[in-house]
């Protein structure tokens, strides 16, 4: 999609993910060398001083394409006239906190942000990064007047993780891997699909003959990669999450090459028998002009069907937890 200028809102902008993506946005890497960028940065009030420090650094980079920076703790100000909303900020899971507790804690934040998105430009697109991403996205979508097809939750990080695992196992560069789908929830129930993936254009299940690995360690490694990174470095995966967020944006901004697709959690239209309205990760193609389509006709084994059913059930349960927050 070609624009002369673009306004991008980033919530939780002073956090680790925000810090990892703002400079790449401002550089022109994402929207091209001829597109001016305005950044609308939203933070909670106590974090505004830290955010001012980030803005100083942005200024000190002297990015030629960075036209304007708005710093605010008001979602309506942040989302005014924007073309993209990167909803990164959310309350993190505390010690001993159940997933349901986290969903209830974050729900009201995304009710307010959903309503504030009514201030966005008519072509605005939204990606929810803050966890639990699918259900936060569902809440924001249901509280906004923007069309439902403008909303998505990030599963590109999971897709990128799956690409890396398959490439390492097959001893090929990541560029040799294609057509990996993440089905369902951005959680430990997601299903990374190797059955429809390709390596150098060949079925991944034929290139990698270790079927036990494909149906075992490969899946669990992708599902639990975030926890493994926290255990290893004591902090959550920020740079890779930021990178995946920018990959997501760029995939929507350009036409998907023929025969390829990418993963994103979007409102289900009933494809593959998934309950309509759930924010569910599917294989998707973009027309590069703001529209997308869910790829049809992929096949599942009984093993895959069982995995997809589990992640759908989790999303139904999450939806029931926040039923009172959905319009």
């Amino acid at each position: 999609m070609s624009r002369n200028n673009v306004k991008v809102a980033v919530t939780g902008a002073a956090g680790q993910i925000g810090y990892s993506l703002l400079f790449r946005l401002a550089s022109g890497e994402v929207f091209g060398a001829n597109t001016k960028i305005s950044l609308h940065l939203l933070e909670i009030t106590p974090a505004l001083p830290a955010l001012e420090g980030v803005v100083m650094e942005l200024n000190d980079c002297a990015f030629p394409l960075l036209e304007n920076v708005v710093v605010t703790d008001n979602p309506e100000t942040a989302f005014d006239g924007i073309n993209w909303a990167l909803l990164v900020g959310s309350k993190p899971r505390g010690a001993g906190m159940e997933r349901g507790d986290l969903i209830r804690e974050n729900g009201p934040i995304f009710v307010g942000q959903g309503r504030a998105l009514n201030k966005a430009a008519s072509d605005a697109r939204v990606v929810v990064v803050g966890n639990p991403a699918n259900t936060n996205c569902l809440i924001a979508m249901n509280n906004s007047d923007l069309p439902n097809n403008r909303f998505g939750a990030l599963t590109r990080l999971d897709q990128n993780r799956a690409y890396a695992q398959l490439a390492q196992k097959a001893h090929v560069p990541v560029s040799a891997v294609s057509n990996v789908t993440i089905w369902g929830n951005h959680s430990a129930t997601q299903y990374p699909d190797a059955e429809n993936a390709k390596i150098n254009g060949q079925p991944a299940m034929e290139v990698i003959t270790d079927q036990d690995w494909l149906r075992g360690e490969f899946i669990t490694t992708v599902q639990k990669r975030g926890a493994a990174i926290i255990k290893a470095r004591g902090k959550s995966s920020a740079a890779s999450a930021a990178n995946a967020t920018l990959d997501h944006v760029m995939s929507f901004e350009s036409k998907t090459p023929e025969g390829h697709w990418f993963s994103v959690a979007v409102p289900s239209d009933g494809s593959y028998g998934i309950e309509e309205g759930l924010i569910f990760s599917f294989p998707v193609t973009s027309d590069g002009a703001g529209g997308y389509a869910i790829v049809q006709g992929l096949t599942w084994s009984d093993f895959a069907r069982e995995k997809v059913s589990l992640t759908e059930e989790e999303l139904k349960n999450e939806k029931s937890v926040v039923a009172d927050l959905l319009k």
Side-chain angles (χ1 to χ4, degrees):
M1 193 185 300
S2 180
R3 299 188 187 92
N4 293 325
N5 54 68
V6 62
K7 294 181 178 180
V8 183
V10 179
T11 73
Q16 287 292 307
I17 296 174
Y19 191 78
S20 295
L21 63 76
L22 290 177
F23 299 87
R24 291 175 64 186
L25 278 171
S27 73
E29 174 186 344
V30 178
F31 295 100
N34 298 313
T35 304
K36 296 280 188 181
I37 307 278
S38 292
L39 294 175
H40 291 211
L41 309 182
L42 179 69
E43 258 299 357
I44 56 174
T45 310
L48 287 177
L51 183 54
E52 290 289 358
V54 176
V55 173
M56 289 181 204
E57 285 201 79
L58 281 167
N59 290 336
D60 291 351
C61 289
F63 290 117
L65 295 171
L66 184 57
E67 200 165 43
N68 186 38
V69 180
V70 175
V71 174
T72 183
D73 57 3
N74 184 324
E76 291 200 356
T77 302
F79 298 155
D80 189 20
I82 58 163
N83 308 106
W84 269 97
L86 314 185
L87 305 188
V88 175
S90 66
K91 185 171 182 177
R93 192 167 176 170
M97 184 183 280
E98 296 296 327
R99 189 173 176 86
D101 298 331
L102 182 66
I103 291 167
R104 290 301 308 177
E105 289 273 358
N106 277 303
I109 297 170
F110 286 86
V111 169
Q113 292 189 356
R115 291 171 181 164
L117 281 163
N118 294 337
K119 291 278 198 176
S122 60
D123 69 345
R125 180 164 288 289
V126 181
V127 56
V128 178
V129 180
N131 284 320
N134 294 54
T135 297
N136 287 342
C137 183
L138 180 73
I139 294 166
M141 180 183 79
N142 275 275
N143 284 279
S144 175
D145 294 336
L146 284 176
N148 287 0
N149 66 1
R150 304 294 173 77
F151 286 83
L154 188 75
T155 55
R156 186 58 170 269
L157 176 55
D158 308 301
Q159 177 192 309
N160 288 350
R161 288 166 169 168
Y163 269 57
Q165 292 302 312
L166 291 172
Q168 288 168 19
K169 184 69 173 177
H171 305 291
V172 297
V174 169
S175 58
V177 181
S178 65
N179 302 87
V180 178
T181 303
I182 304 297
W183 299 95
N185 201 1
H186 174 63
S187 77
T189 68
Q190 65 176 270
Y191 173 54
D193 179 4
E195 293 180 7
N196 290 291
K198 294 178 182 177
I199 297 174
N200 284 320
Q202 302 300 310
M205 303 284 279
E206 294 177 11
V207 176
I208 297 173
T209 56
D210 187 345
Q211 302 300 301
D212 289 342
W213 181 85
L214 285 167
R215 290 191 163 188
E217 188 181 333
F218 164 65
I219 293 172
T220 56
T221 297
V222 176
Q223 288 174 333
K224 298 176 180 179
R225 187 67 160 186
I229 288 168
I230 290 172
K231 184 178 179 182
R233 69 183 292 261
K235 295 177 181 177
S236 61
S237 40
S240 55
N243 180 72
T245 303
L246 300 181
D247 283 346
H248 173 108
V249 172
M250 289 187 282
S251 288
F252 274 103
E253 289 284 317
S254 58
K255 189 175 183 349
T256 307
E258 191 71 32
H260 290 259
W261 60 75
F262 59 99
S263 295
V264 53
V266 293
S268 172
D269 60 1
S271 291
Y272 297 95
I274 302 302
E275 182 180 297
E276 206 166 329
L278 284 182
I279 301 293
F280 194 92
S281 186
F282 289 100
V284 163
T285 59
S286 167
D287 63 8
Y292 70 85
I294 295 172
V295 175
Q296 302 296 322
L298 300 186
T299 57
W300 293 336
S301 65
D302 290 342
F303 173 85
R305 193 173 300 280
E306 185 180 328
K307 294 291 186 186
V308 172
S309 179
L310 284 172
T311 196
E312 181 185 13
E313 200 57 39
E314 182 180 55
L315 283 168
K316 288 179 183 177
N317 290 338
E318 289 186 13
K319 182 179 179 180
S320 69
V321 170
V322 297
D324 59 312
L325 302 179
L326 308 177
K327 283 201 298 187

